[in-house]
Every structure is written in structure tokens, then in C-alpha cells.
């Protein structure tokens, strides 16, 4: 026979009389409770496509696609040899983002979040646009799959970089 | 819906379903049982084994049923490696194998085996001499797939098999993507172990087989009862096995006509795509390929974006590279072929099947022309 005494004796402490009776009482309580009317068991059903409809809308019909010759701020971020790449242009009028354009070599997640980023940034003051985060974009898109959440950084980072570019140019002009 | 992803899986043939149904119903017996019901299951098992053996030129006793191609690869590699551990510890395989082989080799490395991953040329084909050069006294096993799943490129398994035989090394081939597309005859190939899967040839999922040439040293991976000549324990999946036998025999019978018909469709697909869409390259087109597979790189656009557009039009295809965990992982096959990461990222695999039509091919070409011009209008990359 195996010598059980050397093994940690967890089971005994879990099966003391007190605990057992407490367990039984819990069950009794559970069964005596009236089921809540609203409680309904639903087998979860995921979207048939990987992304939700709003994300797909921004992917198939991305907003603010294009380039700008006379931009006040420009950013090129990402590296096409290791994934997504994005270009973003902004025009600033009276401290607000008056116009914003982007182009992207990326997956559906990158295209949709970049599109939403431009929609959210348009019309904002520079200071407001600086506060925009990847989480804001994901929330506005009503969520994107977890493994795609990093894609939303592309748009935000491009926007911040374009704003920095604008501010550098401003600083340069003022010092002149 | 238009299904162009037959290297992923295939629909079940109605004849195969009919062959399976009795064993999902009244004939539910365990093939190891003594009474009539068990004997019926045993008969179905052994008849199926004989049919499968005949299709590949093997003896019935050389067929071991597994849960699929992945398990067959695991049994071949782990089984042979551990059985030959005293003889040596070196394994040679290719860099373009299926993950069922690659991950198993990596695990064997953790067990102390040394593995050499031989590279391919720019068309995705192994040079047999490169394998020959790697053989040492310690080499016990060579594993090379017969057909690559991503490109359809046919590997020189006959030459490598001869090299292995001359060197006294066990040779395994993963023939999962070859069965039904190329003739398989183990009496002609110098192969000791060969993996098969049913669901790639219009059979059920969850069933495959390993051909084990008589006398090949092999240690079981799954242990338990005396099933499958003590090489694979577990109550046999009779409905799936009966379906597998039916699927393989039909695929073998109809192979010549099916392969030819599909070759015409693929030629139509590739020539129209090349004619209508700029900056496309067909990966592996310079090497012999099975007739159903076409791996295309659409330069300056992302493969998953193409795939989603196709999906929205009801067209099923696949991409080798997926941007998932922060960094996109380009296909290991295309990377080994020297395809640049940004081109590999725009690669799509179409794999045709016996029921595809010319009309479907024309529709997919139209869809691709639209999708690529739409995505190229928003890309930040200039086409090369």
C-alpha cells in the first residue's frame, strides 16, 4: 500500500463535518430560491465575421482617405517590412483640425481604426486631439477582436506624430 | 458561397456519408468485442484497412489509423525518433513542413534530439543534395512532405527516399496534401512512414492513417489497449474509418479526370489574374505543383484585407500570414522561399476542388480585380 502520510493532506480539511453541512445548506438555499424571471440561459453567438458591422463598414468604406499637398502636419509611421504602414496629413485652422487624410497598408483592423481615428480627430482642437487614445477609438468602434487591438495604435500614433510635426513647424516659424 | 479552400478541408461526399451512417446508428459495436455486434465493427475496420492499403500499394497490416494527419506525423516522428534513440539522435527535415512536423521536431529538440531544417529554393522546392549533405552517422530520420500545403509545390520525395535508403535512414513523408492529387504507391517510393488524412479528400474530419512499412522501428505515442498492432491505443472510430476508406477509394478512382479538370480551372484563374491585375506574383510557379493550388502575392496590399473582402462576397480562400499578436507573422513557407515580408503579407492561397466551375473562377477574378483596385487606392505603399 502507498504511504499517504507524506502527501499534503488537503482533502481532509476540505471535508470536515462543518464544511459539509454548510455545503448542504447552500444547496438547500439555492433550490429554495425562486428563479428570477429575467434570467435566461443563452448560448453565446459570436459574429459570423471576425469583426463587428461598424468595423467592417469603416474597412469597406474608410473615411478621409487621400493625400494632401499643403498639409500643416504629416506623419509616416510603421514599417511595411514588418507589418502595417500608415501616412497621415492634417490641416490646422484656428487651432482646430480642419482637414485630415490618411493612407494605409494594413490589415482590416488597421484600416478601420485609422478611419475612425480620423473621424474622431476631425474638428477637434489640437489640445483635444492630443488626448485621443487607442481605447477611445476601440470604444467608438464598439470593440475589435483582442488580437487586433494593437492595430488601433497605428492611427493614434500617426495623429500624434502629425501634431508634433505641425508644432515643430509652428515653433520654427515663430523663432524666425 | 464559393469554396476555394480545399487544402484547408473539403466537403463530405454524399457516398462517404452513406458509408458512415450504419456505424453511427445500429452498428455501434466496439471492434474489440467478442459478440456479433463487435465482429461487425471489426469487419468494417479490417475491410476499410484493406481498401486504404490497396489505394497506396501497401499491405493492410501496414496501415495504422490515427485521429488525423497531425497525429500521424506525431506518431511517425516521435515514434521513430524514440525507437532509434540508441542508434543516433539526428533528424533532418525541411523548413517548409506543416506545423504538425515542425512543432513536433521542436519538441524532440527539447528531448535532446538534434534537428536540421533544410532550406528551399526560390520556388519552394527542396534540393535532394542539400539533404544528402546533412546526413551523418547519427542521422536516424528524414521527414519531407510530398506536397506543400501553401504553394502546392511537389517535393522530390522519390530522390530523397532513395538517399535515405542508401544511408540506412528511416524516411517519413507527410502525404496529406498529395493524396487524391498525385498517385501514391509505397512499393515505388522508398518510404518507411507516410501520413494521410481523410478530410482533405472529401472524407470526414478526425481520421487519418500512418503507413508503417513492415519492420520500421516505431514506439507508440498513445498507449493503452492492444489496438492498431499496439501502435495506437484507443477504441477505433469505425464510422470515420469507413468514411475514410470510401473517400480514398473514390479519390483514387477519379483522380486522373479530376486532376486534369482542376488544372484547366487553375490555368484560367492564374492567366486571368495575371492579365487583369498588375503586380501579382504566383509563388512556386517555377516548380512542379499539384494542379489545384495557387498561391498569389498581391503587392502593396495586405492579405487579410483581401480575404475579408472576399469573405464579404461569400468567397472562401486563405492567407498564409496573419497579423495577430502585435507583429504579423509572415508564412514560414514563403519566408523560406525568400519572398519579402511585405509581399508575403499580401499572399492569398486558392485551392480548388472537384466541384468548382469555370463560372466561379470568372467570378473570383472579377472580385479580385475590384478588391485590389479598391485596396490599392488606399494603400500607403507604392506598388513595386
Amino acid at each position: 500500500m502507498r504511504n499517504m502520510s507524506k502527501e499534503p493532506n488537503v482533502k481532509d480539511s476540505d471535508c470536515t463535518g462543518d464544511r459539509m453541512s454548510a455545503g448542504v445548506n447552500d444547496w438547500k438555499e439555492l433550490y429554495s430560491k425562486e428563479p428570477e424571471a429575467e434570467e435566461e440561459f443563452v448560448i453565446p453567438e459570436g459574429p459570423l465575421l471576425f469583426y463587428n458591422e461598424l468595423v467592417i463598414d469603416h474597412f469597406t468604406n474608410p473615411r478621409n482617405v487621400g493625400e494632401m499637398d499643403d498639409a500643416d502636419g504629416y506623419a509616416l509611421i510603421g514599417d511595411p517590412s514588418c507589418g502595417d504602414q500608415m501616412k497621415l496629413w492634417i490641416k490646422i485652422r484656428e487651432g482646430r483640425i480642419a482637414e485630415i487624410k490618411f493612407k494605409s497598408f494594413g490589415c482590416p483592423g488597421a484600416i478601420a481604426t485609422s478611419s475612425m481615428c480620423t473621424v474622431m480627430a476631425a474638428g477637434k482642437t489640437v489640445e483635444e486631439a492630443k488626448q485621443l487614445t487607442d481605447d477611445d477609438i476601440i470604444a467608438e468602434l464598439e470593440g475589435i477582436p483582442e488580437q487586433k487591438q494593437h492595430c488601433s495604435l497605428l492611427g493614434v500614433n500617426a495623429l500624434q506624430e502629425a501634431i508634433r510635426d505641425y508644432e515643430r513647424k509652428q515653433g520654427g516659424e515663430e523663432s524666425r | 458561397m464559393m469554396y476555394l479552400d480545399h487544402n484547408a478541408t473539403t466537403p463530405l461526399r454524399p457516398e462517404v456519408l452513406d458509408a458512415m451512417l450504419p456505424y453511427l446508428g445500429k452498428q455501434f459495436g466496439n471492434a474489440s468485442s467478442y459478440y456479433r455486434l463487435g465482429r461487425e465493427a471489426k469487419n468494417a475496420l479490417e475491410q476499410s484497412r484493406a481498401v486504404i492499403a490497396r489505394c497506396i500499394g501497401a499491405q493492410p497490416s501496414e496501415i495504422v489509423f490515427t485521429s488525423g494527419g497531425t497525429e500521424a506525423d506525431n506518431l511517425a516522428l516521435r515514434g521513430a525518433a524514440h525507437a532509434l534513440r540508441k542508434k543516433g539522435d539526428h533528424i533532418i527535415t525541411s523548413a517548409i513542413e506543416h506545423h504538425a512536423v515542425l512543432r513536433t521536431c521542436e519538441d524532440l529538440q527539447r528531448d535532446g534530439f538534434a534537428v536540421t531544417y533544410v532550406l528551399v529554393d526560390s520556388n519552394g522546392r527542396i534540393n535532394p543534395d542539400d539533404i544528402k549533405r546533412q546526413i551523418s552517422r547519427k542521422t536516424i530520420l528524414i521527414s519531407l512532405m510530398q506536397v506543400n500545403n501553401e504553394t502546392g509545390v511537389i517535393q522530390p520525395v522519390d530522390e530523397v527516399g532513395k538517399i535515405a535508403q542508401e544511408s540506412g535512414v528511416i524516411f517519413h513523408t507527410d502525404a496529406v496534401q498529395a493524396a487524391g492529387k498525385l498517385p501514391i504507391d509505397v512499393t515505388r517510393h522508398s518510404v518507411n512512414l507516410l501520413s494521410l488524412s481523410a478530410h482533405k479528400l472529401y472524407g470526414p474530419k478526425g481520421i487519418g492513417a500512418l503507413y508503417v512499412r513492415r519492420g520500421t522501428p516505431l514506439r507508440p505515442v498513445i498507449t493503452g489497449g492492444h489496438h492498431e498492432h499496439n501502435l495506437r491505443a484507443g477504441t477505433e472510430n469505425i464510422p470515420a474509418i469507413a468514411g475514410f476508406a470510401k473517400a480514398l477509394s473514390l479519390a483514387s478512382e477519379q483522380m486522373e479526370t479530376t486532376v486534369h479538370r482542376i488544372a484547366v480551372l487553375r490555368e484560367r484563374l492564374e492567366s486571368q489574374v495575371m492579365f487583369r491585375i498588375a503586380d501579382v506574383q504566383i509563388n512556386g510557379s517555377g516548380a512542379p505543383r499539384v494542379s489545384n493550388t495557387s498561391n498569389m502575392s498581391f503587392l502593396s496590399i495586405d492579405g487579410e484585407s483581401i480575404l475579408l473582402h472576399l469573405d464579404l462576397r461569400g468567397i472562401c480562400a486563405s492567407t498564409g500570414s496573419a497579423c495577430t499578436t502585435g507583429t504579423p507573422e509572415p508564412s514560414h513557407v514563403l519566408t523560406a522561399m525568400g519572398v519579402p515580408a511585405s509581399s508575403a503579407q499580401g499572399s492569398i492561397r486558392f485551392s480548388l476542388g472537384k466541384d468548382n466551375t469555370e463560372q466561379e473562377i470568372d467570378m473570383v477574378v472579377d472580385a479580385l480585380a475590384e478588391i485590389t483596385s479598391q485596396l490599392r487606392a488606399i494603400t500607403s505603399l507604392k506598388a513595386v
Side-chain angles (χ1 to χ4, degrees):
Chain A
M1 246 182 79
R2 282 172 75 201
N3 181 3
M4 302 292 284
S5 63
K6 279 181 185 169
E7 292 180 10
N9 214 339
V10 184
K11 273 190 179 167
D12 271 10
S13 62
D14 279 343
C15 296
T16 54
D18 282 359
R19 275 173 180 255
M20 285 292 275
S21 56
V24 170
N25 284 336
D26 287 348
W27 279 102
K28 274 182 188 163
E29 208 174 292
L30 193 69
Y31 279 107
S32 63
K33 249 170 72 178
E34 286 293 313
E36 289 172 39
E38 257 67 40
E39 229 176 88
E40 204 185 330
F41 184 75
V42 184
I43 294 171
E45 194 179 308
L48 289 178
L49 290 167
F50 189 57
Y51 301 96
N52 72 41
E53 278 178 30
L54 186 57
V55 175
I56 286 179
D57 181 49
H58 273 267
F59 164 68
T60 53
N61 181 25
R63 324 305 196 252
N64 303 310
V65 173
E67 300 185 13
M68 228 185 268
D69 292 333
D70 53 346
D72 297 319
Y74 166 72
L76 164 62
I77 68 156
D79 180 358
S81 71
C82 62
D84 301 335
Q85 191 210 51
M86 180 171 180
K87 291 176 179 171
L88 187 136
W89 296 261
I90 50 172
K91 199 177 283 181
I92 310 292
R93 291 292 174 269
E94 291 163 10
R96 286 182 185 273
I97 297 180
E99 212 182 320
I100 182 164
K101 295 278 183 209
F102 84 99
K103 279 200 162 182
S104 172
F105 164 67
C107 69
I111 292 172
T113 53
S114 301
S115 165
M116 181 54 96
C117 175
T118 62
V119 169
M120 292 176 81
K124 278 196 166 56
T125 64
V126 170
E127 289 312 309
E128 284 168 350
K130 278 184 184 171
Q131 307 301 314
L132 199 62
T133 67
D134 50 334
D135 289 337
D136 297 335
I137 294 169
I138 292 169
E140 197 69 17
L141 281 170
E142 293 162 19
I144 58 170
E146 207 184 327
Q147 63 265 52
K148 290 288 181 180
Q149 301 210 339
H150 68 276
C151 298
S152 60
L153 278 171
L154 201 67
V156 169
N157 289 347
L159 177 64
Q160 304 311 335
E161 180 57 36
I163 292 173
R164 275 195 292 276
D165 181 49
Y166 161 71
E167 287 177 338
R168 267 196 301 272
K169 285 176 184 166
Q170 286 297 102
E173 276 168 25
E174 276 163 22
S175 66
R176 238 177 268 158
Chain B
M1 195 203 60
M2 194 191 301
Y3 191 75
L4 299 170
D5 201 15
H6 293 80
N7 287 9
T9 192
T10 53
L12 202 70
R13 278 180 192 258
E15 306 97 304
V16 172
L17 180 62
D18 288 344
M20 295 171 70
L21 284 174
Y23 306 101
L24 291 162
K26 285 182 180 167
Q27 299 199 50
F28 62 88
N30 185 324
S32 301
S33 297
Y34 176 78
Y35 39 78
R36 183 184 292 262
L37 191 66
R39 298 305 305 169
E40 283 170 354
K42 180 79 172 167
N43 283 343
L45 172 66
E46 295 312 327
Q47 280 165 16
S48 302
R49 196 189 304 281
V51 167
I52 288 167
R54 195 172 58 222
C55 288
I56 64 166
Q59 298 298 314
S61 61
E62 295 175 313
I63 302 295
V64 176
F65 288 113
T66 65
S67 65
T70 292
E71 194 198 313
D73 286 343
N74 268 265
L75 176 57
L77 295 167
R78 292 178 199 278
H82 285 292
L84 293 163
R85 186 67 183 85
K86 280 184 183 156
K87 195 173 168 243
D89 62 0
H90 181 226
I91 299 164
I92 302 170
T93 188
S94 83
I96 57 158
E97 295 298 309
H98 189 274
H99 285 126
V101 167
L102 290 179
R103 295 282 175 268
T104 304
C105 283
E106 286 166 19
D107 196 49
L108 287 167
Q109 283 178 286
R110 284 188 281 273
D111 287 345
F113 289 91
V115 182
T116 303
Y117 302 91
V118 174
L119 292 172
V120 290
D121 64 20
S122 60
N123 278 305
R125 201 161 199 257
I126 282 286
N127 180 348
D129 290 339
D130 289 343
I131 289 186
K132 194 174 187 175
R133 232 171 277 137
Q134 297 295 335
I135 296 175
S136 72
R137 278 192 186 168
K138 288 187 164 182
T139 308
I140 47 172
L141 175 65
I142 297 171
S143 179
L144 176 65
M145 66 197 337
Q146 194 168 359
V147 169
N148 181 265
N149 49 309
E150 288 189 32
T151 59
V153 169
I154 300 166
Q155 302 300 326
V157 288
D158 283 348
E159 290 94 314
V160 173
K162 279 194 196 92
I163 290 168
Q165 196 178 30
E166 284 161 11
S167 313
V169 175
I170 297 294
F171 180 52
H172 164 248
T173 188
D174 176 340
V176 164
Q177 292 292 348
K181 298 168 190 159
L182 289 177
I184 296 176
D185 183 355
V186 295
T187 58
R188 288 197 305 110
H189 312 313
S190 305
V191 61
N192 300 89
L193 301 158
L194 181 143
S195 304
L196 293 171
S197 169
H199 78 102
K200 308 288 190 190
L201 33 89
Y202 308 92
K205 293 165 185 65
I207 193 72
L210 182 67
Y211 158 77
V212 184
R213 185 180 292 277
R214 193 166 297 165
T216 304
L218 205 65
R219 196 173 107 178
V221 172
I222 295 176
T223 48
H226 297 292
H227 315 86
E228 300 299 300
H229 332 299
N230 289 318
L231 285 174
R232 202 282 187 178
T235 300
E236 302 86 347
N237 185 350
I238 305 298
I241 288 169
F244 183 12
K246 189 71 185 173
L248 185 61
S249 67
L250 287 171
S252 306
E253 272 168 36
Q254 300 170 9
M255 190 173 70
E256 226 169 292
T257 48
T258 309
V259 161
H260 178 72
R261 219 180 60 75
I262 293 176
V264 173
L265 292 180
R266 186 187 58 187
E267 173 55 28
R268 191 181 181 93
L269 173 69
E270 292 188 341
S271 60
Q272 285 196 48
V273 163
M274 296 302 280
F275 179 69
R276 289 181 53 184
I277 305 172
D279 299 316
V280 183
Q281 69 184 41
I282 294 169
N283 300 309
S285 60
R289 289 181 294 165
V290 287
S291 74
N292 83 315
T293 309
S294 183
N295 188 309
M296 302 176 176
S297 283
F298 296 88
L299 305 185
S300 76
I301 42 184
D302 173 72
E304 194 203 332
S305 290
I306 301 173
L307 211 60
L308 179 53
H309 270 298
L310 289 170
D311 188 14
L312 292 168
R313 288 166 164 80
I315 300 168
C316 311
S318 71
T319 172
S321 53
C323 152
T324 48
T325 49
T327 46
E329 283 175 35
S331 136
H332 68 283
V333 177
L334 299 182
T335 304
M337 290 163 67
V339 177
S342 61
S343 313
Q345 204 181 326
S347 77
I348 297 284
R349 179 190 70 186
F350 295 103
S351 45
L352 313 185
K354 66 183 183 65
D355 298 322
N356 288 129
T357 62
E358 279 188 4
Q359 210 180 355
E360 286 181 317
I361 298 301
D362 295 347
M363 280 166 67
V364 78
V365 173
D366 286 343
L368 283 170
E370 267 177 48
I371 293 165
T372 50
S373 74
Q374 198 177 334
L375 288 171
R376 279 181 177 156
I378 66 171
T379 188
S380 57
L381 283 188
K382 282 208 173 78
V384 184

